[in-house]
Amino acid sequence: MSTLILNGRTVAIAPRPGQCLRTLLRELGAFGVKRGCDVGDCGACTVLVDGTPVHSCITPAFRAEGRSVTTIEGLAEGDRLHPVQQAFLDAQGFQCGYCTAGAILTVSSLNQAQRQDLPAALKGNLCRCTGYRAIADAVAGTTHAERGLAGEACGHSHPAPAGPAIVTGQARYTLDVDVPGLTHLKLVRSPHPHACIRSIDTSAALAVPGVIAVLTHLDAPATLYSSGRHEIAADDVDDTRILDTVVRHVGQRVAAVVAETVAAAEAGCRAVAVDYELLPAVLDPEAARAPGAPLVHGDKGPESRIFDPARNVVAHLAGEVGDVAAGFAAADVIHEETVRTQRLQHAHLETHCAIGWRDADGRLVLRSSTQVPFLTRDALAGVLGLPRDQVRVFAGQVGGGFGGKQEMLVEDIVGLAVLKTGRPVQLELTRAEQFAATTSRHPMRVRVKLGATADGTLTAFEMEVLSDTGAYGNHAVGTLFHGCNESVQVYRCPNKKVTGEAVYTHTLPSGAFRGYGLSQTIFAIESAMDELARKLGLDPFALRRRNVIRPGDPMVAHSLHAHDIEYGSYGLDQCLDLVEQALSEPGEPPPDGPQWRVGRSGGWAGAWHWP
Amino acid sequence: MDLNTVSALHRPRTRDEIGPWQAGDAWLAGGTVLFADPNPGLSRLIDLTALGWPALALTPDGLDIAATCTLAELEEPLLPPGARIAGLFPACCAALYGAFKVRTAATIGGNLCTALAAAPMAALIVALDARLTLWPAAGGSRQVAAADFILGLQRTVLAPGELLRSILVPACNMDLRWAFRRIALNDLGRSAALLIGTLAADGRFALTVTASTPRPLRLDFPALPDTAALLAALDAAIPADGWYDDVHGAPAWRRAMTQLFAQQIRSELAEGGPA
Ligand SMILES: Cc1cc2nc3c(=O)[nH]c(=O)nc-3n(C[C@H](O)[C@H](O)[C@H](O)COP(=O)(O)OP(=O)(O)OC[C@H]3O[C@@H](n4cnc5c(N)ncnc54)[C@H](O)[C@@H]3O)c2cc1C
Ligand code: FES
Ligand code: FES
């Protein structure tokens, strides 16, 4: 036993030989110390050791022996906030707040020179929500929050109710609770893109001291579901099992080990022996539709609602209004191009995580980092075969989601583990698991072909989309639909044709991601509009002004079918004016020298939203 | 992260207390690599900082840097007043992708022994033609030239159980003129090419290339070469497939930047004439 001084109080510690300071401090109750990456990159775990900021995840715990450690909980003096805490409140220098403790502690240690060069001083503090502007405002002492406006709230900048809790480290994110008897779950994941599981030998894992249970497909219900969550569950395809007999991407879970400690769960995972029968895999979305391609969900029937399992097509869309061929025939200029967009991870700083237990009434309770607690509750009840009122899912403060948490990626296995063991179970994905085994933005290939008369009036608009949903179809349908909808509706053109397919491949599943399919198609369409303007010799803004819908125009994508969405007010013209004006104002001058070119471009992006 | 397979921590205060090397052992310096990389093969950490080596000492032989000297300590090195190379130290420390909070823990020894392509300490010591003292497991010590220490990506001359004790920047190199160029995909990101040129009082020129190649490369010239000779020497030393390739930069771009920087460094040093 040794001691350290934690926020002014001497506490006894017994760090494990390989323990990092981050987990030691959390075990001491300092839940304000966050974990974003656990590899020294993000700064969410920043604490002050004898006044010097360090990343506690890469600091050996024993090095804090005899030192004074300040966490966010110890920065204020009683009720008086530290000036940096107050500055973050005044500027509202946070959104989800998960990065905020680390940012405040880091800023509190900066000297004047460092404050003058924030990109360098704060490069070890990642924030996925604010875009850093709000943080820079906090450092600069800018006040955005307005107070005391009872009765005239509208149009004012109100501070987030959670603000005081966030800047003092009192906000409780998903895992910031002390649950007596908590056990830990770790996952065995597939090293193969496509394989059939012949057998799993769990005996060695069960013999590891501290291991309580090992779950495999033998323990999992046969029920198929979608990890993507919508109010109407049938919007998504049912192609996923909690633990399956077939693995369809590298990183898919194969078994779950529940143990008294994370260390024992990890050791248990290493001891699980899986016998795989390797199967051919298709990794390329173009190849996936070709005859003879390995099928990802060839075993699924119509009840899964997959569009065509025999061609790896999970979702399909096609429609034409007017006569596109005639429209191109009438065009003076035609522009056609194809763009490809890449996979992207949301990288919310709080990884997917949940704690599950049974409450006093025997109900299954999950405290989860989710954007959709109620939809997850409904799904869990269905998958685990429980009445809806026997399941409760709730969220604490959520450390970012960006769509990635409109997904049931941990609650199902945690719920199953609680039912099997009767113990409270926690699963916290690592950053590496986030990248390798959660969802990403759908990679897409988008071909756009536009025709216009010499004055810039669109005569034909054609788009063809191929979306790669990866191994599972969560959100494949919705992102394809949206991607092919609002992006097209914004332009008036009598002749439009859109075709789109989302295909399975043996790769990481895609999922909901900020923009929901639109970012990819809008990038393609707006790029094509710019090129069309260039070919026509028109200003890109003029081309858009000529063709965007105006008040009273219907919103038409690829069918005349009436939608239940209308626009209540119209500001597109003002948006174009404002952007054009902002672009024409003097900005940062280009560097000296003839080798620098200056580009200027504009674009539009938007989406349907309703309360 | 927690290194959950590690079950023992050894904190020797003297070389004698280090004891025999065992499978699963790792020398622990700052820990910014060890604690950032899951490695279930580890079972024991041997804490080098317990040995209490003074970080920096200026001796008649030169600047003696302990392997456990942190990058933060190295930013303000203990050099003779007015030593020309003083500015090269903070430039190389700032070239670490890790922020200042990482630099307070990261050590020069850990940086060299990890031997990443983008190891800024490798650039520093190779450019300054430093000499490394190693402690073999069997006892005694041996010396290697900085340019010979790193064999390839994450490979060094260290034998199992051998450690890096110190780095000596020779007194005769304190007044080298130098020029520094670096680029990364993001201005503050991980180096994709980091080059240092040095010019000695007697006119000898050396070009050190790191980050764009898997291991540091040093080209020595009796005098400042002309551009064509410099580029030809680069071409001869680095085969077409010898450029480093990872997410931090495409090989062709690294090659182009290396060639550009080599020329810029040559011009910069040519302008002042020999020191
Ligand atoms: C955010 C971040 C950014 C980083 N950016 C970079 C970068 O741009 N470039 C780069 O090269 N590195 C980078 N690193 C890696 C690392 O921080 C540095 O390489 C650092 O200098 C390693 O030193 P350390 O003392 O922390 O090493 P440790 O983690 O203590 O040790 C690293 C390795 O070296 C061995 N070792 C350490 N000292 C000795 C010794 N004296 N003798 C023998 N073996 C020894 C250890 O056993 C271990 O295998 C980064 C790390 C982080 C967290
Ligand atoms: S830097 Fe420690 S959790 Fe990211
Ligand atoms: S507020 Fe910074 S990550 Fe959410």
Side-chain angles (χ1 to χ4, degrees), chain A residues 16-20 23 38-41 43 46 52-53 55 57-58 60 62-63 106 109-110 114 119-121 123-125 262-263 266 270, chain B residues 1-9 11 28-32 35-37 40 45 47 49 94 96-104 188-189:
Chain A
R16 298 184 292 277
Q19 187 171 25
C20 68
T23 62
D38 227 8
V39 295
D41 279 315
T46 304
T52 302
H55 289 175
C57 69
I58 51 170
F62 73 85
R63 294 233 165 110
T106 305
S109 77
L110 298 182
Q114 287 172 310
K123 77 169 169 174
N125 289 84
V262 173
E266 287 174 358
R270 286 193 295 274
Chain B
M1 64 183 63
D2 284 351
L3 305 175
N4 285 320
T5 54
V6 171
S7 56
L9 171 70
R11 309 195 66 192
L28 171 66
T32 63
F35 277 78
D37 196 15
L45 301 178
D47 181 16
T49 64
L96 192 88
Y97 163 59
F100 77 101
K101 291 177 284 180
V102 176
R103 300 204 291 269
T104 51
L188 297 164

Side-chain angles (χ1 to χ4, degrees), chain A residues 67-91:
Chain A
R67 309 285 202 97
S68 170
V69 177
T70 307
T71 68
I72 190 69
E73 290 94 340
L75 199 59
E77 282 188 35
D79 286 342
R80 246 197 32 249
L81 292 183
H82 185 280
V84 177
Q85 289 173 311
Q86 188 61 51
F88 269 70
L89 264 188
D90 291 342

Side-chain angles (χ1 to χ4, degrees), chain A residues 22 34-45 55 57:
Chain A
R22 180 183 70 76
K34 293 291 181 277
R35 188 209 68 169
C37 66
D38 227 8
V39 295
D41 279 315
C42 77
C45 66
H55 289 175
C57 69

Side-chain angles (χ1 to χ4, degrees), chain A residues 4-21:
Chain A
L4 64 74
I5 302 170
L6 176 58
N7 297 325
R9 211 163 38 87
T10 302
V11 292
I13 56 167
R16 298 184 292 277
Q19 187 171 25
C20 68
L21 181 58

Side-chain angles (χ1 to χ4, degrees), chain B residues 18-126:
Chain B
I18 293 176
W21 181 259
Q22 306 159 9
D25 280 352
W27 304 118
L28 171 66
T32 63
V33 170
L34 279 177
F35 277 78
D37 196 15
N39 179 356
L42 288 186
S43 51
R44 188 173 72 138
L45 301 178
I46 306 174
D47 181 16
L48 293 177
T49 64
L51 290 156
W53 299 330
L56 294 161
L58 197 56
T59 72
D61 292 336
L63 176 67
D64 198 26
I65 308 168
T68 46
C69 176
T70 66
L71 269 61
E73 287 168 320
L74 210 54
E75 269 165 51
E76 290 166 32
L78 193 68
L79 289 172
R84 273 221 186 89
I85 59 168
L88 189 55
F89 287 76
C92 287
C93 293
L96 192 88
Y97 163 59
F100 77 101
K101 291 177 284 180
V102 176
R103 300 204 291 269
T104 51
T107 67
I108 181 171
N111 192 261
L112 295 172
C113 296
T114 303
L116 299 177
M121 294 300 103
L124 176 75
I125 65 158
V126 173

Side-chain angles (χ1 to χ4, degrees), chain B residues 156-247:
Chain B
T156 68
V157 298
L158 290 174
E162 187 171 34
L163 63 78
L164 170 61
R165 168 62 185 86
S166 61
I167 300 112
L168 182 78
V169 177
C172 58
N173 286 345
M174 297 288 168
D175 267 331
L176 294 176
R177 287 187 52 223
W178 55 273
F180 175 98
R181 293 289 186 282
R182 169 182 182 271
I183 197 162
L185 283 179
N186 160 343
D187 196 22
L188 297 164
R190 192 177 290 258
S191 306
L194 194 171
L195 277 76
I196 301 170
T198 57
L199 193 63
D202 61 6
R204 276 180 300 123
F205 170 75
L207 182 71
T208 298
V209 178
T210 66
S212 57
T213 50
R215 60 170 295 239
L217 172 78
R218 182 181 160 110
L219 298 175
D220 279 286
F221 301 84
L224 206 59
D226 62 21
T227 302
L230 182 59
L231 293 180
L234 269 180
D235 262 356
I238 307 169
D241 63 353
W243 299 94
Y244 189 49
D245 185 8
D246 74 356
V247 294

